[in-house]
Amino acid sequence: QVWQIRLDMHLLNHDGNITDAASIAGIVALCHFRRPDVSVQGEEVTVYTPEERDPVPLSIHHMPICVSFAFFHQGTYLLVDPTEREERVMDGLLVIAMNKHHEICAIQSSGVVMLLQDQILRCSKITAVKVAEITELIQKALENDQKARKEGGKFGFAESIPNQRITAFKMESAAVDTNDVEEQAGEIIAKADPPSEVFANPVVHTPGTAQIGEGVESSWGDLEESEKEEAAEEEGESEAAAFECEKVETEGTSTLRETKNEPIVLSDSEEEEVVILEPQELPRKTR
């Protein structure tokens, strides 16, 4: 059995050169991490809690730190630790990862610039100086954190949280007097204004329904002016259509009465078969 460690980085905000910042944050997190102590006896594996045994740090042999270089005008100008605006106009970027022993761990070059050997050697010398400074800062921060934990003081993120701030969600402890709580509560209630005694009586309109309080007539069903005009137009059109229909039915009836004693010839065209209907076979209404 082995321990599996996964390091996730969430980028909240940056002003350029995120590669260097992420590498420093990752190295510090791994150096600060402690795993539970474990003992193995035969096939029995025991994982101890922090109360039983002190957690164990990881075995980190070196700290590879990334240093980024931005190039402008085809490598004429060199800039260390570019900002976000400088990254927008740079021609190329060179990232060198190195530890404090001057061992190069990784090199990455990107962009449209061609670098010479002397330029790369110059960047590697600058990287060695920067990595030594950053490694020393990391080690001092880890030592101060360990010392603060042993003394029981503030450490980590708690150092940046001031007291007596609304955004801190933290305040100093204060003593609370719990004597004579009932008497104080009685005095507060006596001084308070009495509640209102006016309550609306429920009105039952029909069995099974009720109204709580005295409300006004609901206006949800009222139509607006534009809706009223549209409804009136639709109603007028429907009345006109009904009148036309009635008129057509009346004319058809009168025609039927005039020709009830004569046979009617129905034909769709001159070439089709002619059908003759007797008067008793005619329908009652004809449109």
Side-chain angles (χ1 to χ4, degrees):
Q1 296 182 356
V2 297
W3 289 105
Q4 182 181 6
I5 301 175
R6 192 179 85 177
L7 179 62
D8 295 332
M9 296 187 184
H10 299 275
L11 180 62
L12 301 179
N13 191 7
H14 77 100
D15 191 28
N17 196 9
I18 189 60
T19 304
D20 297 3
S23 67
I24 295 173
I27 289 297
V28 173
L30 294 175
C31 293
H32 185 267
F33 176 75
R34 299 290 186 273
R35 66 168 178 83
D37 194 6
V38 181
S39 65
V40 180
Q41 296 180 357
E43 296 182 355
E44 183 180 358
V45 179
T46 304
V47 180
Y48 298 97
T49 61
E51 290 77 13
E52 295 175 346
R53 290 188 181 181
D54 293 337
V56 181
L58 300 178
S59 299
I60 298 178
H61 303 287
H62 64 102
M63 299 181 185
I65 305 297
C66 294
V67 179
S68 299
F69 300 90
F71 296 93
F72 303 88
H73 295 285
Q74 296 300 321
T76 305
Y77 301 100
L78 172 64
L79 184 64
V80 183
D81 190 10
T83 62
E84 190 267 340
R85 290 187 176 182
E86 293 167 346
E87 288 180 349
R88 292 184 181 183
V89 297
M90 66 182 180
D91 296 334
L93 181 68
L94 178 65
V95 181
I96 300 178
M98 183 183 296
N99 57 19
K100 66 178 182 179
H101 306 294
H102 297 182
E103 297 175 350
I104 297 178
C105 303
I107 294 180
Q108 180 186 10
S109 177
S110 60
V112 294
V113 62
M114 298 296 294
L115 300 177
L116 301 176
Q117 181 180 359
D118 296 339
Q119 293 174 324
I120 298 177
L121 291 176
R122 180 188 177 189
C123 293
S124 63
K125 293 180 180 180
I126 298 175
T127 302
V129 177
K130 300 294 293 183
V131 166
E133 296 176 355
I134 296 173
T135 303
E136 185 177 358
L137 293 175
I138 293 174
Q139 291 177 349
K140 287 184 178 180
L142 293 173
E143 291 175 0
N144 295 335
D145 178 81
Q146 186 177 4
K147 183 179 179 181
R149 287 176 182 272
K150 289 183 178 180
E151 295 178 355
K154 293 183 178 181
F155 53 85
F157 186 70
E159 295 179 351
S160 60
I161 301 180
N163 295 331
Q164 305 296 336
R165 295 288 181 88
I166 297 177
T167 57
F169 297 103
K170 182 180 179 182
M171 295 183 66
E172 294 291 344
S173 59
V176 179
D177 186 10
T178 58
N179 297 327
D180 302 331
V181 176
E182 296 182 358
E183 296 179 1
Q184 296 178 5
E187 295 177 358
I188 295 174
I189 295 174
K191 294 179 181 180
D193 296 333
S196 178
E197 297 295 338
V198 180
F199 297 95
N201 297 324
V203 180
V204 180
H205 299 278
T206 58
T209 62
Q211 177 180 352
I212 307 301
E214 297 179 359
V216 297
E217 184 180 357
S218 176
S219 61
W220 283 73
D222 295 344
L223 298 178
E224 296 182 357
E225 295 297 333
S226 59
E227 295 179 351
K228 290 181 179 179
E229 293 177 0
E230 293 178 359
E233 292 178 359
E234 293 178 357
E235 185 177 358
E237 292 177 358
S238 60
E239 292 179 356
F243 178 75
E244 292 293 337
C245 181
E246 184 179 358
K247 182 178 180 182
V248 171
E249 291 180 355
T250 305
E251 293 176 355
T253 304
S254 61
T255 304
L256 178 61
R257 291 176 181 176
E258 292 175 358
T259 60
K260 64 179 180 179
N261 296 326
E262 298 179 1
I264 298 176
V265 179
L266 301 178
S267 174
D268 294 339
S269 62
E270 297 179 356
E271 298 179 359
E272 294 181 356
E273 182 181 358
V274 177
V275 180
I276 301 177
L277 300 179
E278 294 299 331
Q280 62 273 15
E281 298 179 1
L282 292 176
R284 296 183 179 180
K285 294 183 180 180
T286 305
R287 293 189 179 181

